[in-house]
Amino acid sequence: MDWLPGAASSYAADLDRIFYVILAITGLIFVGVQVALVYFIIKYRGRKGRQASYVEGSTKAEVIWTVIPAVIIVGIAVASQTVWSEIKDPNHFPTDALEVNVEARQFAWAFTYPGADGELGTDDDYIRYNQMHVPVNRPVVFNLTSVDVVHSFFVPAFRIKQDAVPGMNLRAWFEATEVGEYELACAELCGVAHGLMKGKIIVLSEDEFQSWAAEQS
Amino acid sequence: MATAAAAAAPLADAHHEELSFIRKYIFSTDHKIIGIQFLFASLAFLVLGGVLAILLRWQLGFPGEELPGVGTVAPKFYNSLVTMHGTFMVFFAVMPLLVGVYANYLIPLKIGAPDMAFPRLNMLSFWMFIQSGIVMTASLFVEGGAAGSGWTAYAPLSAVPQYTGASLGQQLWILSIVLFGASSLLGSVNYITTVINMRAPGMTLFRMPLSVWALFITAIIALLAIPIIAAAVIMLFFDLTLGTTFFLPADGGQPLLWQHLFWFFGHPEVYILILPAMGIISDVIANGSRKPVFGYHSMVLAIIAIAFLGWITWGHHMFQSGMNPLLGTSFMISTMAIAVPSAIKVFNWLGTMWRGNIRFHTPMLWAIGFVSLFTVGGLSGIFMASNAVDIFIHDTYFIVAHIHYVLFGGSLMAIFAAVYFWFPKMFGRMMSETWGKIHFVLTFIFYNLTFFPMHILGMAGHMRRIYDPTQYEFLQPYQPMNRFITISAILLFVVQLPFIVNFFWSLFRGKKADINPWQDNGLEWTVPSPPPHGNFAMTPTVYRGPYEFSVPGAEADYMPQSVPPSGSQ
Amino acid sequence: MNEAITLPGGVTAEPGMRIYNQKLGMWIFLASEVMFFTGLIGAYIILRFGTTAWALPGVPLEEGGTPLAINLTAFNTFMLICSSVTMVKAFAAIEHGDQKGLRRYLVATVLLGAAFVGIQVVEYIALAHEGFLPRCSEELAAVVPNCDLFGSTFYTMTGFHGTHVSIGVLCMIWVTVKAFRGKYTKENHGGVEVIGLYWHFVDLVWIMLFTIVYLI
Ligand SMILES: [Cu+2]
Ligand SMILES: [Cu+2]
């Protein structure tokens, strides 16, 4: 069952698990409701001489189908919250991360790397466009901004999506778990070429990444 | 202060018969005529919204290829198509079809009133709607093209003409929304006043049909939500034209302010689009099952609960917007809470059919279709309500599938049920049942073929509103599915033809309708089809609830609300 | 569920509220007006507290104070409050069937309302001369923090309020004309009551706006 795209980040499996749990629960309810519907249609189809039962309701039944969904919902909410704060809560961001600035504009991505001193905002920073090189198995925290309109940083394989809002500096993170190339897309309508605002995340082994970084500065 | 008495008194003025054609059918103050005017106008907008959908679907299924007779779709035009399809469908098709048509037509008839509380405001409301529709349609043809920032008009994309290339188009979009809002506001004031003040004797609140309850609550939501969008688009307009800086970050404005305002309106708006549908469906299912609505009181409470919760959930549209993650948690909880009253409604509809004696007339088929498809839309909503899962599926085709299951599979199915159900009352003639059923079956099939695969696209990560999916390697394997969806969508559009033909043919040639062709209990079925100006020759008295079907010991399996209890004189 | 219902003829209680349609309609309409101003004022609050600096009253303009002339507007506020009092008096007069009193107080209300709008226009012109507009002049932008944002919110909120007062004055003139034609009686004066509701609402909104825009 591979409906979600191949997962390649540390938290992708956690998110996928909730997705499939919800899919299973809702799938079951879906089948239940449709089967009941079809069954009622056949069983209670109108016939001459029959009369419908005069039933105005049943408190017991209604309590049951109020409480059960409520319980399910609470379960899903609790499970979701854990993963949500893992991915989005700045207090839970990994500390030993590579830090990169990401700037979105109509219609390109700019990635600013810290350079040899390992610090952003210094002279040896360098910028690469539309291609983001990152090391495998090491968290990357990025500061996301936009110079014009709202964009959205979306890497399907990493299960990360974060809007880039002009005037705001938003932080997000991911940790790629497999070497390879992954597509980056803009997920928020941002103008004429919104559909073409794509980039690549190139995940390298630690050694390869170091030598790539050395070449840049 | 004799107004109340005057308004509630039976209206039997003789000179109503002498109105000129223009006063009677064009500038009419009769709520029934106004409802019918809304019906024709918004069905036309529905077709327009459908044409826009086909054009944008063409580009997605066959990127860059020439649509025979039309040409290719340019990226800028594509964005306008996306924007205007959403705008027309939400504001000019579904909302007026439910509220403009059926709140107008049904409320006075169903509560035993001669007309709306403010008939002239009602007329004004309709003509403002037409004006706003004309402005919106005109914006398709102006220089620079129609607005291209989505129906959500996210700032600053919408606030600076250079960002989309559309300048006048965006301004006209705003102007049209303001006019539309004013129209909708006048309507709401009317509906609320009418329901509160003009019910016939005996029509207590808890004897009102669920359709009236839903339309009443909807009017309250619209009354409170529309001013928010009006304020928001006016600020946007000033940003565009007067140099204010509400949403422009370079000068201290806040883009997220737009999103908060828009969705503070936008989420209640979703309930404006679905609650009346739920009410109508409840009426039709009870009629079709020949049984009382299962749990009438909890159905009413569920409507009120949904309407109330709808005000505190807007942030679920903004999980990925950069809003504080803690807010993401609270908005998830409030959003999830809505699943409970929604589930109650679905189960109670099933409960209504249980042990019934179901008549499969055309409106009932659409109602069953509604229950089936709304369930899908409701369940897929749980995925988005989960803030974690939303990180992945936000702004993908999963959302597109969801809204279409709610607003097409839900609202539009209910609208078709309503059109077939009340057509005989409106026009005094029956629509063809055979063609109605053919229309239903074909629509149901092609509807699902069009929208169900969108869930799968969404799971694959397919973004919304992109011009050319084949640009992305990970989406290329799904291009056959995109093509399949496009072909299904075209067929879905084509199979509406039987409806259009049936509608107009029946208008002139349909079988003459009786007073009560569906053997229903509502007060509207106790007056001639179509009802005369003033509706009731004598103010009716209401003795019972709206759903007394198959009462044990009764002769017929229905009992109109105005039938006195047996035993009393 | 089956409450006993009195039979036709014996029917006394109607289900509706004991408020006539126009008055109920106005209350409902005002609910939507509340939401409209909530939208504008909410935006103001979010924008103001989303930035670090804001022009405060009581601080000289050169040090980042407000460019608004508070004394003039305080006087204007006083006039608007007075117009609410005269409105109450007008309604009280007609409730006692006092036609003369009705006319006198309606005219007073119209004049006070019109004066309010007039002074607001004068204020706008003076501010524009100083360079205070939705886009501030460079000199002003240099001293007033977030001057553009201040101008945007100030003109939008007070402008929409002023529009509401203007519409109110026009309706009030219409009601006054009807009063002079003797259209209102002790028994039948819904028009006076309904316009009064609107008038008090607009007054109330101003007191809020004056407080948050000028005073704090
Ligand atoms: Cu973008
Ligand atoms: Cu929502």
Side-chain angles (χ1 to χ4, degrees):
Chain A
M1 210 167 54
D2 237 5
W3 286 334
L4 302 170
S9 78
S10 57
Y11 47 59
D14 296 338
L15 191 150
D16 292 2
R17 197 174 310 116
I18 300 185
F19 183 92
Y20 284 121
V21 167
I22 298 179
L23 187 62
I25 294 170
T26 53
L28 221 61
I29 300 171
F30 166 75
V31 171
V33 169
Q34 307 294 346
V35 166
L37 199 56
V38 171
Y39 177 73
F40 288 176
I41 288 170
I42 296 166
K43 177 95 194 278
Y44 302 116
R45 65 187 186 277
R47 274 157 293 174
K48 280 244 153 59
R50 248 191 92 236
Q51 217 194 3
S53 314
Y54 186 80
V55 187
E56 285 187 285
S58 150
T59 315
K60 203 171 124 198
E62 289 187 87
V63 169
I64 291 173
W65 61 56
T66 307
V67 171
I68 291 180
V71 171
I72 294 174
I73 284 308
V74 170
I76 292 176
V78 169
S80 300
Q81 180 53 29
T82 320
V83 180
W84 168 253
S85 67
E86 177 190 0
I87 302 178
K88 291 273 174 158
D89 186 350
N91 300 322
H92 293 167
F93 282 6
T95 41
D96 57 335
L98 169 70
E99 209 158 311
V100 181
N101 286 344
V102 181
E103 191 184 72
R105 66 171 63 235
Q106 285 183 329
F107 298 93
W109 302 94
F111 305 98
T112 308
Y113 287 83
D117 61 357
E119 267 185 45
L120 282 164
T122 49
D123 283 345
D124 65 344
D125 292 359
Y126 54 88
I127 303 179
R128 289 294 165 273
Y129 294 96
N130 293 334
Q131 290 203 336
M132 186 186 196
H133 290 75
V134 295
V136 73
N137 293 329
R138 196 165 114 204
V140 178
V141 172
F142 53 99
N143 308 301
L144 188 57
T145 55
S146 164
V147 290
D148 37 44
V149 302
V150 179
H151 301 271
S152 194
F153 183 96
F154 178 36
V155 185
F158 295 171
R159 312 289 189 268
I160 179 65
K161 185 180 287 126
Q162 176 60 55
D163 285 4
V165 183
M168 286 176 89
N169 181 16
L170 297 163
R171 286 161 64 77
W173 76 282
F174 62 80
E175 181 183 330
T177 51
E178 256 165 90
V179 171
E181 289 190 2
Y182 303 94
E183 285 184 290
L184 158 69
C186 176
E188 186 64 69
L189 179 64
C190 61
V192 175
H194 160 60
L196 306 177
M197 185 169 162
K198 54 178 187 163
K200 274 247 154 69
I201 312 287
I202 298 162
V203 181
L204 304 168
S205 70
E206 188 67 46
D207 291 345
E208 282 174 317
F209 179 75
Q210 292 304 345
S211 52
W212 173 82
E215 274 170 39
Q216 310 304 313
S217 18
Chain B
M1 276 184 250
T3 339
L11 244 169
D13 292 87
H15 64 256
H16 281 294
E17 303 305 316
E18 294 150 25
L19 292 175
S20 67
F21 179 83
I22 287 185
R23 286 288 307 283
K24 202 167 166 193
Y25 295 110
I26 313 287
F27 295 107
S28 172
T29 56
D30 181 348
H31 72 101
K32 299 184 292 298
I33 301 294
I34 294 173
I36 289 167
Q37 289 175 321
F38 264 112
L39 180 64
F40 281 105
S42 40
L43 281 177
F45 286 126
L46 182 67
V47 173
L48 176 56
V51 170
L52 298 177
I54 297 303
L55 290 176
L56 78 89
R57 252 342 295 183
W58 176 264
Q59 167 60 24
L60 288 169
F62 305 92
E65 284 179 45
E66 197 168 318
L67 178 61
V70 180
T72 53
V73 176
K76 184 154 175 284
F77 183 53
Y78 176 82
N79 284 354
S80 296
L81 285 174
V82 169
T83 305
M84 299 310 270
H85 166 67
T87 304
F88 273 113
M89 286 307 200
V90 168
F91 294 109
F92 295 94
V94 174
M95 195 168 159
L97 274 170
L98 287 169
V99 180
V101 179
Y102 290 102
N104 258 315
Y105 196 85
L106 293 182
I107 288 176
L109 277 169
K110 276 189 165 296
I111 64 172
D115 205 319
M116 284 287 174
F118 310 109
R120 268 178 301 173
L121 281 191
N122 207 15
M123 177 181 79
L124 188 62
S125 161
F126 172 73
W127 285 104
M128 287 179 99
F129 170 73
I130 291 297
Q131 284 175 35
S132 73
I134 290 172
V135 172
M136 194 59 87
T137 311
S139 84
L140 284 166
F141 303 101
V142 297
E143 203 185 317
S149 53
W151 81 279
T152 51
Y154 271 21
L157 183 64
S158 55
V160 179
Q162 290 85 312
Y163 288 155
T164 56
S167 173
L168 187 54
Q170 187 72 52
Q171 292 176 23
L172 290 176
W173 186 89
I174 294 171
L175 182 66
S176 171
I177 296 294
V178 170
L179 280 169
F180 174 84
S183 151
S184 174
L185 214 64
L186 292 179
S188 296
V189 171
N190 232 330
Y191 308 142
I192 298 169
T193 310
T194 307
V195 170
I196 292 178
N197 254 4
M198 296 182 66
R199 281 167 290 133
M203 181 58 88
T204 56
L205 283 177
F206 283 101
R207 278 182 180 159
M208 295 199 309
L210 287 170
S211 52
V212 176
W213 259 111
L215 289 164
F216 175 54
I217 299 294
T218 300
I220 296 175
I221 302 176
L223 180 87
L224 302 177
I226 293 283
I228 298 290
I229 188 70
V233 295
I234 286 169
M235 287 185 251
L236 182 61
F237 192 75
F238 290 166
D239 273 6
L240 273 169
T241 54
L242 297 184
T244 61
T245 61
F246 289 103
F247 308 118
L248 302 175
D251 304 296
Q254 290 187 27
L256 284 200
L257 172 63
W258 169 266
Q259 295 185 26
H260 280 295
L261 288 170
F262 184 86
W263 290 115
F264 187 64
F265 148 81
H267 193 80
E269 167 70 21
V270 174
Y271 294 139
I272 296 174
L273 299 171
I274 193 68
L275 286 180
M278 290 173 159
I280 286 167
I281 281 318
S282 305
D283 281 15
V284 172
I285 288 186
N287 174 287
S289 309
R290 315 309 293 166
K291 263 190 65 194
V293 164
F294 195 92
Y296 169 84
H297 282 88
S298 46
M299 290 299 252
V300 173
L301 290 178
I303 293 174
I304 295 172
I306 292 174
F308 180 77
L309 288 171
W311 290 101
I312 51 172
T313 63
W314 79 92
H316 59 220
H317 298 270
M318 297 173 62
F319 285 146
Q320 320 313 331
S321 69
M323 182 177 77
N324 186 325
L326 287 177
L327 285 175
T329 307
S330 43
F331 279 121
M332 166 174 68
I333 294 165
S334 55
T335 303
M336 292 259 181
I338 292 189
V340 176
S342 309
I344 294 175
K345 296 207 80 95
V346 170
F347 292 131
N348 280 3
W349 287 318
L350 287 175
T352 308
M353 290 169 67
W354 171 68
R355 294 173 65 189
N357 192 32
I358 303 172
R359 293 183 187 173
F360 297 103
H361 47 54
T362 306
M364 183 63 179
L365 294 184
W366 288 99
I368 292 169
F370 172 98
V371 175
S372 170
L373 300 180
F374 174 77
T375 303
V376 179
L379 291 171
S380 65
I382 294 177
F383 291 79
M384 286 141 232
S386 157
N387 48 16
V389 172
D390 185 73
I391 297 173
F392 179 62
I393 59 175
H394 178 74
D395 268 331
T396 66
Y397 263 79
F398 204 87
I399 312 291
V400 180
H402 166 75
I403 57 163
H404 285 91
Y405 266 86
V406 176
L407 296 185
F408 190 152
S411 306
L412 205 56
M413 292 267 160
I415 287 165
F416 281 128
V419 169
Y420 285 101
F421 196 69
W422 281 289
F423 188 94
K425 188 51 63 184
M426 284 181 158
F427 303 108
R429 290 178 187 272
M430 304 296 290
M431 282 179 84
S432 156
E433 278 284 286
T434 314
W435 281 104
K437 285 170 185 169
I438 292 172
H439 175 214
F440 168 74
V441 171
L442 292 176
T443 303
F444 190 83
I445 292 170
F446 288 115
Y447 169 82
N448 281 296
L449 292 181
T450 303
F451 293 105
F452 199 83
M454 289 187 186
H455 291 109
I456 299 166
L457 290 184
M459 289 183 209
H462 194 313
M463 293 79 70
R464 297 170 77 168
R465 295 167 165 176
I466 53 169
Y467 169 70
D468 182 356
T470 60
Q471 292 291 323
Y472 288 91
E473 268 165 52
F474 78 103
L475 293 178
Q476 276 162 10
Y478 291 90
Q479 198 48 30
M481 191 178 276
N482 257 325
R483 208 168 304 140
F484 176 83
I485 291 174
T486 296
I487 292 166
S488 304
I490 293 170
L491 290 171
L492 178 60
F493 187 82
V494 169
V495 300
Q496 302 311 305
L497 211 65
F499 170 73
I500 297 172
V501 173
N502 190 355
F503 187 94
F504 285 102
W505 189 85
S506 306
L507 210 51
F508 301 105
R509 290 283 152 79
K511 202 175 91 211
K512 282 255 192 283
D514 298 335
I515 281 188
N516 192 0
W518 311 112
Q519 303 180 309
D520 198 58
N521 295 341
L523 291 179
E524 77 272 32
W525 303 107
T526 62
V527 291
S529 309
H533 198 157
N535 298 344
F536 300 91
M538 222 181 78
T539 307
T541 305
V542 175
Y543 296 94
R544 54 189 75 247
Y547 302 118
E548 299 207 357
F549 292 103
S550 306
V551 179
E555 236 167 80
D557 68 352
Y558 65 105
M559 199 171 283
Q561 290 188 270
S562 55
V563 174
S566 55
S568 63
Q569 354 124 228
Chain C
M1 267 209 69
N2 281 327
E3 311 103 12
I5 175 108
T6 347
L7 290 167
V11 173
T12 44
E14 304 229 335
M17 289 177 83
R18 309 260 121 238
I19 301 180
Y20 56 98
N21 286 349
Q22 281 74 6
K23 187 173 168 187
L24 179 61
M26 179 51 83
W27 275 112
I28 294 166
F29 173 70
L30 290 182
S32 84
E33 288 278 50
V34 167
M35 292 305 281
F36 181 75
F37 281 102
T38 300
L40 295 184
I41 295 172
Y44 167 76
I45 291 171
I46 290 173
L47 289 170
R48 176 168 170 178
F49 292 101
T51 62
T52 41
W54 202 258
L56 296 170
V59 179
L61 187 61
E62 308 78 53
E63 290 165 33
T66 175
L68 304 175
I70 293 169
N71 292 340
L72 178 69
T73 313
F75 172 68
N76 219 9
T77 307
F78 174 70
M79 281 210 310
L80 201 60
I81 294 172
C82 287
S83 78
S84 254
V85 175
T86 54
M87 188 66 233
V88 171
K89 292 262 188 197
F91 181 65
I94 194 62
E95 278 211 301
H96 293 104
D98 174 6
Q99 297 278 349
K100 253 198 193 138
L102 173 72
R103 288 170 201 160
R104 192 165 14 159
Y105 284 117
L106 279 180
V107 169
T109 312
V110 168
L111 291 178
L112 286 167
F116 176 88
V117 176
I119 290 184
Q120 202 177 19
V121 170
V122 169
E123 181 198 15
Y124 275 18
I125 293 171
L127 287 172
H129 268 290
E130 281 177 50
F132 181 65
L133 283 164
R135 287 280 164 167
C136 297
S137 69
E138 270 174 42
E139 302 87 69
L140 214 52
V143 287
V144 177
N146 283 302
C147 193
D148 290 347
L149 211 51
F150 195 163
S152 300
T153 51
F154 168 78
Y155 281 107
T156 304
M157 286 190 294
T158 58
F160 267 102
H161 179 267
T163 312
H164 276 78
V165 179
S166 308
I167 291 168
V169 168
L170 290 178
C171 295
M172 195 71 74
I173 290 173
W174 184 54
V175 169
T176 310
V177 168
K178 278 177 82 175
F180 273 90
R181 290 193 183 148
K183 290 281 158 77
Y184 300 111
T185 61
K186 189 175 176 185
E187 293 74 32
N188 197 340
H189 50 263
V192 180
E193 190 175 18
V194 170
I195 185 75
L197 283 177
Y198 176 83
W199 195 255
H200 296 314
F201 166 79
V202 172
D203 193 2
L204 216 65
V205 169
W206 180 253
I207 292 171
M208 275 193 61
L209 282 183
F210 180 63
T211 310
I212 61 168
V213 176
Y214 288 83
L215 296 187
I216 53 176

